[in-house]
Amino acid sequence: MDAGTFDKNIDTELVPGKSYWNEFYSQWALDVPSQFCVQMAVELEPNAVLVEFGCGNGRDTCYLAKQGFPLVAMDFCEQAVANGNAKLEKLNIKHADVAIGDVTRDADVQNALLRAREKLDDGSTGVTVYSRFLLHSLTADQEAQFLTALAAHMRSGEKVYFEFRCSEDATTDKVYGHHFRRYVDSQLFSEQMQTEYGFAIDYQITGQGLAKYKAEDPFITRIIAVKR
């Protein structure tokens, strides 16, 4: 996996781009859930408890919460967290919350999982982790820190749902081009999940048509993995 690229005139000090994302989420207010989120919601058990890492503007967070799933969401962007909690408050949702956290910090990942476990009932088999469009916003080192923390604190049988831009997407046109992206080598990522982080791959697909937005139809990889 390479270090990542910027599409145009971006200061490398912005990796992974906190100031960019604060500005972005102060203006971007789309509330329709992503295709991947809806796919996961259909598959989840009725008593599933979720942890969402990199929740962005909270559109998937709110959708999942409105379906009744207890949820702990986390993002490093203060504006995104404020927006997410404001939406949950407006909806009068008490079983979900959004907190500031850094996925590269073991303690933050562990804390999110622990808070979610407090929401489990006696019939639950564990938490489900959801992370959409986060991995390609991290450097390779940051990704390794995140996956190491997940491997350390997820329990056997728990699932993680990943969706990210893959290597094939490097040359496609982007609606929002002015920020850092790292195009993830899907096959290498899958192998590392199995050999280095103790997961089994339950489902994997790469292609277009999975996350189309306006004129942009990116190459996306979806992976569902189970902690061994």
Side-chain angles (χ1 to χ4, degrees):
M1 292 177 284
D2 62 32
T5 60
F6 291 92
D7 292 294
K8 293 180 183 178
N9 302 321
I10 300 297
D11 187 343
T12 55
E13 291 182 1
L14 291 181
V15 180
K18 191 170 187 178
S19 61
Y20 172 89
W21 291 114
N22 270 314
E23 175 66 19
F24 182 85
Y25 289 124
S26 70
Q27 303 177 50
W28 200 70
L30 183 66
D31 286 328
V32 178
S34 69
Q35 296 177 33
F36 189 44
C37 172
V38 175
Q39 174 193 325
M40 182 183 70
V42 171
E43 295 181 353
L44 290 171
E45 296 296 327
N47 60 349
V49 175
L50 308 178
V51 179
E52 181 181 6
F53 291 107
C55 60
N57 81 330
R59 62 178 179 138
D60 287 351
T61 308
C62 291
Y63 174 80
L64 292 165
K66 284 190 289 186
Q67 308 314 304
F69 297 113
L71 186 146
V72 172
M74 191 176 89
D75 201 282
F76 83 141
C77 173
E78 294 92 343
Q79 187 65 55
V81 170
N83 291 352
N85 280 320
K87 291 177 182 179
L88 292 172
E89 183 176 358
K90 185 176 181 180
L91 293 167
N92 196 32
I93 289 174
K94 308 297 184 183
H95 55 272
D97 64 89
V98 187
I100 294 174
D102 184 345
V103 297
T104 69
R105 294 188 69 246
D106 180 270
D108 288 0
V109 173
Q110 181 184 30
N111 182 57
L113 290 165
L114 288 173
R115 289 196 300 118
R117 295 192 201 289
E118 294 174 357
K119 301 175 183 289
L120 293 173
D121 62 33
D122 292 340
S124 298
T125 58
V127 301
T128 300
V129 171
Y130 174 67
S131 183
R132 178 183 181 272
F133 273 38
L134 171 67
L135 292 178
H136 62 250
S137 72
L138 305 176
T139 66
D141 287 343
Q142 289 170 332
E143 178 192 274
Q145 291 170 317
F146 178 37
L147 296 180
T148 297
L150 285 181
H153 301 298
M154 287 183 67
R155 295 175 179 172
S156 178
E158 292 181 332
K159 285 187 176 183
V160 56
Y161 286 70
F162 284 127
E163 183 178 70
F164 51 85
R165 293 179 186 269
C166 56
S167 302
E168 294 88 337
D169 193 51
T171 59
T172 64
D173 293 332
K174 310 295 189 297
V175 173
Y176 299 105
H178 296 274
H179 64 85
F180 171 84
R181 291 185 180 93
R182 181 178 59 89
Y183 300 98
V184 180
D185 182 325
S186 303
Q187 192 55 43
L188 177 59
F189 179 85
S190 178
E191 292 171 1
Q192 290 177 326
M193 285 288 288
Q194 297 173 82
T195 61
E196 298 181 25
Y197 299 110
F199 288 84
I201 303 301
D202 191 47
Y203 174 85
Q204 179 171 345
I205 189 171
T206 295
Q208 292 179 290
L210 302 173
K212 187 180 181 303
Y213 177 67
K214 297 184 178 180
E216 182 179 356
D217 189 8
F219 279 94
I220 296 298
T221 293
R222 292 177 178 174
I223 286 179
I224 304 172
V226 183
K227 186 70 173 68
R228 291 198 293 263

